[in-house]
């Protein structure tokens, strides 16, 4: 007993010293280091591309600390190397974490914010806190659609070079008349002249460039698969039209981007398409500029959408309905999926009404497979209307 008492008495100063050291380490590591984070990344990019990322970190502390920092990227954006930092800190220390991001998914990706962990130099007492950082949003625009360009897009946009005499049919300007040719739509037949001459005759209007392009996506007609494909097709149409010098805009039932030829207008349209999501609310077409080109992308067009398209044709130089039946339309290179149901009734009805819609100046395109573009480019739209289907 006496020996134990002597040992404890001799060890007590050491225990007090160790306790004091541990208390000093804990006390000195309570406060976090000063941190400044700056993310250097392009504000926008296209789906399927790669962009550089630099996370610039500045650390400062008057006490020696061990610091761990990680700044995970948003879902849908995959870094080659996750931005992480592990250092021993005393004073000021700048660090640059550099990597490359692969943009796998369209959308507006908000940076989730990272985590800061710090401890005493021995790593005995660890603390953590959310990483203070600037709010960062990366807009990933839809990538280029797999359809062959420009074999699909230019026929939908203008049927030819944009000039005063080649482009869209102008129903208000008549160039002349000619004999009927099989395939001419009934709406172009000049019935009064045909009755007087005894020869079936059709009107041949002047050709004019469209004054603008608006691409409307019917988000109520399909799920995620359709919306993704429609977003890519709409983005490709917008980019192609902007390259041809047309004012461009994109629209959904709730939003219409500003129309214009400048890069900001194209970015606004692409940003709207990047954020597309299925919406069960019924479609509502935006007002159409006089002489403009309106393209409707839908998975299953209902009667209400067709009625609105007919009303839009009163001011639009051209209205095109492009149906992408979900489950039947495949993008080039996509593996076929087994089907358990038939073609949607709305699409079958659209096919039956295609001739009548063509007479009213509405072009109908039904895409059923990834080879549809091979024949679509040969389709002509007299009076603004034609139909292609695979």
């Amino acid at each position: 007993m006496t020996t134990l008492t002597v040992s404890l008495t001799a060890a007590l100063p050491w225990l007090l010293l160790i306790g004091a050291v541990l208390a000093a380490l804990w006390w000195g590591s309570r406060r976090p280091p000063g941190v400044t984070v700056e993310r250097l990344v392009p504000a926008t990019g296209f789906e399927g591309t790669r962009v550089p990322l630099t996370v610039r970190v500045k650390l400062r502390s008057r006490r020696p600390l061990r610091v761990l920092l990680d700044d995970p990227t948003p879902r849908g954006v995959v870094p080659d190397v996750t931005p992480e930092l592990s250092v021993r800190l005393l004073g000021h220390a700048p660090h640059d974490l550099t990597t490359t991001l692969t943009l796998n998914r369209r959308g507006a990706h908000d940076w989730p914010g990272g985590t800061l962990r710090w401890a005493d130099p021995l790593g005995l007492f660890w603390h953590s806190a959310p990483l203070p950082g600037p709010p960062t949003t990366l807009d990933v625009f839809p990538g280029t659609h797999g359809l062959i360009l420009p074999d699909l897009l230019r026929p939908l946009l203008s049927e030819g070079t944009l000039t005063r005499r080649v482009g869209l049919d102008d129903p208000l300007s008549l160039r002349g008349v000619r004999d009927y040719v099989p395939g001419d739509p009934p709406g172009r037949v000049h019935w009064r002249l045909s009755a007087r001459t005894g020869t079936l005759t059709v009107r041949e209007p002047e050709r004019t460039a469209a004054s603008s392009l608006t691409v409307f996506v019917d988000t109520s007609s399909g799920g995620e698969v359709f919306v993704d494909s429609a977003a890519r097709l709409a983005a490709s149409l917008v980019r192609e039209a902007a390259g041809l010098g047309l004012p461009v805009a994109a629209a959904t039932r709730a939003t219409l981007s500003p129309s214009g030829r400048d890069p900001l207008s194209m970015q606004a349209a692409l940003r709207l398409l990047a954020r597309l999501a299925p919406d069960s609310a019924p479609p509502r077409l935006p007002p159409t500029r006089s002489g403009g080109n309106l393209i409707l992308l839908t998975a299953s067009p209902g009667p209400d959408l067709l009625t609105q398209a007919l009303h839009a044709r009163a001011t639009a130089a051209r209205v095109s309905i492009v149906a992408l039946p979900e489950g039947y339309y495949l993008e080039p290179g996509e593996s076929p999926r087994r089907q358990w149901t038939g073609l949607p009734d709305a699409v079958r009805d659209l096919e039956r009404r295609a001739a009548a819609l063509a007479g009213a100046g509405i072009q109908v395109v039904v895409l059923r497979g990834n080879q549809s573009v091979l024949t679509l480019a040969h389709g002509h739209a007299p009076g603004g209307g034609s139909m292609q289907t695979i």
Side-chain angles (χ1 to χ4, degrees):
M1 183 69 179
T2 303
T3 304
L4 180 59
T5 302
V6 172
S7 299
L8 290 176
T9 303
L12 183 59
W14 293 104
L15 294 176
L16 293 175
L17 178 61
I18 292 173
V21 171
L22 293 177
L25 290 175
W26 174 81
W27 182 267
S29 65
R30 286 186 314 131
R31 296 179 59 186
V35 182
T36 301
V37 178
E38 181 183 7
R39 300 187 187 98
L40 306 178
V41 63
T44 61
F46 285 93
E47 187 180 25
T49 61
R50 292 162 60 84
V51 298
L53 166 67
T54 299
V55 180
R56 185 160 292 166
V57 182
K58 295 181 180 179
L59 300 172
R60 59 190 179 277
S61 175
R62 296 180 179 179
R63 304 171 307 280
L65 294 174
R66 296 182 64 176
V67 178
L68 299 178
L69 180 149
D70 65 280
D71 188 29
T73 58
R75 296 181 61 184
V77 177
V78 181
D80 289 350
V81 178
T82 302
E84 294 179 341
L85 180 65
S86 176
V87 296
R88 296 180 183 273
L89 174 65
L90 178 60
H92 294 261
H95 298 273
D96 283 353
L97 310 178
T98 304
T99 186
T100 301
L101 303 178
T102 301
L103 310 182
N104 283 348
R105 175 72 178 164
R106 68 175 178 87
H109 299 285
D110 294 322
W111 226 269
T115 303
L116 176 67
R117 298 179 178 87
W118 71 95
D120 58 272
L122 299 181
L124 299 177
F125 303 102
W126 283 94
H127 311 270
S128 65
L131 181 65
T136 304
T137 299
L138 175 59
D139 285 311
V140 179
F141 299 151
T144 301
H145 198 275
L147 296 176
I148 298 173
L149 303 178
D151 292 342
L152 169 66
L153 304 188
R154 284 185 180 163
L156 285 178
L157 293 174
S158 64
E159 293 185 353
T161 306
L162 293 175
T163 68
R164 293 183 181 276
R165 290 291 179 267
V166 179
L168 303 178
D169 289 330
D170 182 2
L172 301 180
S173 301
L174 186 64
R175 187 193 320 175
V177 295
R178 59 173 174 80
D179 292 343
Y180 174 83
V181 175
D184 286 335
R188 187 177 280 188
V189 175
H190 197 311
W191 297 108
R192 183 177 301 176
L193 182 60
S194 300
R196 188 168 65 246
T197 62
T199 302
L200 195 59
T201 307
V202 295
R203 300 181 181 88
E204 194 164 27
E206 292 282 5
R207 310 279 286 176
T208 182
S211 63
S212 64
L213 169 70
T214 301
V215 183
F216 175 84
V217 181
D218 177 14
T219 53
S220 68
S221 62
E224 287 286 349
V225 174
F226 160 74
V227 170
D228 284 343
S229 187
R232 283 190 288 273
L233 179 54
S236 298
L237 287 164
V238 166
R239 295 170 68 184
E240 184 73 12
L244 294 173
L246 289 176
V248 295
T252 63
R253 67 167 303 278
T255 309
L256 171 64
S257 69
S259 179
R261 293 184 174 87
D262 57 289
L264 291 179
S265 297
M266 185 177 72
Q267 286 190 10
L270 294 174
R271 186 170 288 109
L272 185 152
L273 296 172
R275 306 182 184 201
L276 281 185
D279 184 357
S280 60
R284 183 175 66 248
L285 293 184
T288 306
R289 292 177 59 178
S290 178
N293 186 356
L294 176 63
I295 299 178
L296 315 180
L297 305 183
T298 180
S300 181
D304 183 51
L305 183 63
L306 296 182
T307 301
Q308 294 183 57
L310 289 170
H311 291 164
R313 181 64 179 91
T315 55
R318 184 174 185 182
V319 175
S320 301
I321 300 176
V322 181
L324 293 77
E326 195 166 22
Y328 281 81
Y329 171 68
L330 302 175
E331 292 190 34
E334 186 179 357
S335 299
R337 298 180 294 272
R338 181 174 295 181
Q339 305 302 320
W340 301 100
T341 59
L343 194 66
D345 292 339
V347 177
R348 294 185 184 277
D349 182 63
L350 181 66
E351 291 180 330
R352 288 192 292 266
R353 301 178 62 179
L357 291 171
I362 297 178
Q363 180 189 19
V364 173
V365 180
V366 178
L367 303 182
R368 286 188 178 177
N370 59 14
Q371 299 299 317
S372 56
V373 296
L374 299 180
T375 59
L376 182 61
H378 303 293
H380 215 49
S386 71
M387 176 182 174
Q388 295 291 332
T389 183
I390 295 298

